[in-house]
Amino acid sequence: MAHIHLRPDWHIAERDATTENAYRSRRRFIRQLGLGGIAATTLGMGSVSGAAGDPDGPLDTIPDNAPRTGLPATRNADYVVPERPLTSRIAASSYNNYYEFISQGDLKTVWPLTGDYNPFPHTIDVRGLVQEKKTFDVDALIALLGIEERLCRFRCVEAWSMTIPWIGFPLAKLIAECAPLSRATHVRFYSVDRPKEMPGIRNARWFDFPYYEALRMDEATSELAFVATGMYGEPLPKQNGSPLRLVLPWKYGYKGAKAISRIEFVDKQPPTFWQDLFPNEYGFLSNVNPNLPHPRWSQAQERHILEEERLERIPTQLFNGYADIVGHLYPDEPTEFQRGVVR
Ligand code: MTE
């Protein structure tokens, strides 16, 4: 698998961050031409059918039957990002990474490909080292655990970042409900695997779905680890991980598995999706760290996406600015520049 070259995104092309209106016009244009999949492929959007259920814009992908219990959620004042503005809602839902939907072409334009995906109803299976196997219904979980809003920094390993108002609950609360055995050292997360609804899975040549990620138990129970069920005051759009996804603001974005359908407690460090694909480039910990360059690019700075084509270049902070909360978990995290280290 080492021969696969995934393009690092040093800049956001115009096509990757246009307004909702522009997207609507582009989709309308394709339909008017009656070209469907051909035009879509030419535009690098993959195969879209133009069927009635297809979304008209990046916010048209919020499922009608998503639970709205607890909305509007109260903002938790402990989690704000005073030094920078929020990313626009359109940008956060237009520029995405989601390989279950798209694995070639214009990788970031995910939302038009989510038309066949029906996230609800949704359950999460809890397995492995637990007192008893459980299955949680997402609606019931939201009602049980309650929801809050947190403003968080979000840093992708590709050196772009966003600032997002997430809605959801602490992962620690969910883990307490799972009742893991004390000998569990790690927790695994598996994403939804539905080839019929997810074209990226159908077309995958290199990826072995479902997407899988994992954390140490002390990481998973950190107060900063969050399960998002919504963003920008609304339930999650499909391309952002509906029905629920992990948000780990001190780690690179790929640690935050979307559309989680299974949680498993284990007693040794499990493999993870990107580490299995590229062990020389992606580690298990994957903490945001400007001192550790990716083998193919620097991590010292990031392009913070404000809206559409508006970006600002800012320095990357150790643990993405959350060292006071999670720094003690990583006594060996390099605090000086090092090359050739993958953690
Ligand atoms: N989860 C699943 N199931 N599949 C994916 O392809 N991509 C990851 C992560 N979670 C991914 C995933 C990566 S690489 C990033 S940067 C973030 O989701 C992107 O989240 P966003 O699209 O909401 O910005």
Side-chain angles (χ1 to χ4, degrees):
M1 289 299 166
H3 61 283
I4 304 167
H5 178 75
L6 293 179
R7 161 182 66 110
D9 286 79
W10 285 104
H11 66 280
I12 294 178
E14 180 275 332
R15 67 177 184 280
D16 290 336
T18 48
T19 62
E20 184 175 10
N21 274 346
Y23 271 120
R24 283 182 189 279
S25 321
R26 185 165 73 172
R27 299 279 292 147
R28 208 174 301 126
F29 173 68
I30 292 166
R31 285 184 196 166
Q32 279 166 359
L33 285 178
L35 295 177
I38 298 169
T41 305
T42 311
L43 290 169
M45 289 165 62
S47 167
V48 288
S49 64
D54 279 358
D56 275 334
L59 303 181
D60 192 30
T61 60
I62 298 174
D64 291 339
N65 55 353
R68 291 179 169 267
T69 314
L71 292 176
T74 305
R75 182 169 297 175
N76 182 337
D78 290 342
Y79 300 95
V80 290
V81 186
E83 80 281 9
R84 58 173 91 158
L86 287 182
T87 297
S88 85
R89 193 176 172 198
I90 296 289
S93 290
S94 303
Y95 190 79
N96 298 101
N97 272 339
Y98 209 163
Y99 289 83
E100 285 88 332
F101 289 96
I102 190 162
S103 53
Q104 56 195 1
D106 187 357
L107 285 172
K108 305 297 183 192
T109 310
V110 174
W111 67 262
L113 302 171
T114 61
D116 292 336
Y117 176 41
N118 295 305
F120 294 96
H122 182 83
T123 53
I124 304 171
D125 293 328
V126 181
R127 298 290 185 267
L129 301 176
V130 284
Q131 284 167 19
E132 56 175 329
K133 292 179 188 173
K134 291 185 180 176
T135 297
F136 293 119
D137 182 86
V138 169
D139 301 39
L141 211 51
I142 290 173
L144 175 72
L145 302 180
I147 51 174
E148 63 182 57
E149 182 179 69
R150 294 182 177 193
L151 311 191
C152 294
R153 302 179 196 93
F154 180 84
R155 172 65 154 81
C156 178
V157 74
E158 296 165 328
W160 54 265
S161 65
M162 296 186 181
T163 307
I164 296 184
W166 298 107
I167 292 166
F169 45 79
L171 176 59
K173 279 193 182 182
L174 173 56
I175 289 189
E177 291 300 321
C178 297
L181 301 178
S182 58
R183 68 173 197 278
T185 58
H186 293 78
V187 53
R188 306 188 72 179
F189 303 92
Y190 298 87
S191 298
V192 161
D193 183 9
R194 294 193 204 150
K196 286 191 181 146
E197 299 178 32
M198 299 173 147
I201 297 185
R202 285 202 299 278
N203 300 330
R205 281 185 286 163
W206 304 305
F207 304 119
D208 193 14
F209 292 105
Y211 194 93
Y212 49 99
E213 256 303 338
L215 295 169
R216 296 188 326 220
M217 286 299 283
D218 61 348
E219 300 181 301
T221 52
S222 159
E223 62 173 276
L224 195 54
F226 198 64
V227 177
T229 57
M231 62 199 295
Y232 296 88
E234 293 277 315
L236 282 179
K238 296 184 204 176
Q239 65 274 23
N240 292 102
S242 177
L244 80 180
R245 55 95 56 87
L246 282 181
V247 173
L248 308 165
W250 74 103
K251 292 183 178 286
Y252 291 119
Y254 62 84
K255 293 292 292 184
K258 295 177 174 178
I260 294 166
S261 61
R262 180 184 166 99
I263 299 178
E264 189 182 337
F265 294 88
V266 295
D267 60 4
K268 51 178 162 313
Q269 182 176 305
T272 55
F273 186 84
W274 288 106
Q275 194 184 21
D276 275 353
L277 279 168
F278 303 102
N280 297 332
E281 300 199 356
Y282 305 105
F284 179 83
L285 289 179
S286 304
N287 293 323
V288 176
N289 190 336
N291 303 305
L292 298 181
H294 184 279
R296 290 185 277 124
W297 61 86
S298 166
Q299 296 291 21
Q301 293 193 328
E302 62 206 56
R303 289 171 185 264
H304 184 239
I305 300 173
L306 296 165
E307 58 184 278
E308 301 178 37
E309 294 150 64
R310 216 150 68 79
L311 312 170
E312 55 181 0
R313 190 186 278 271
I314 56 176
T316 291
Q317 305 178 68
L318 182 62
F319 299 116
N320 209 15
Y322 296 101
D324 55 332
I325 307 178
V326 293
H328 69 282
L329 298 176
Y330 310 101
D332 299 330
E333 189 73 24
T335 52
E336 287 177 11
F337 186 82
Q338 291 188 21
R339 194 181 285 283
V341 184
V342 175
R343 285 169 56 82

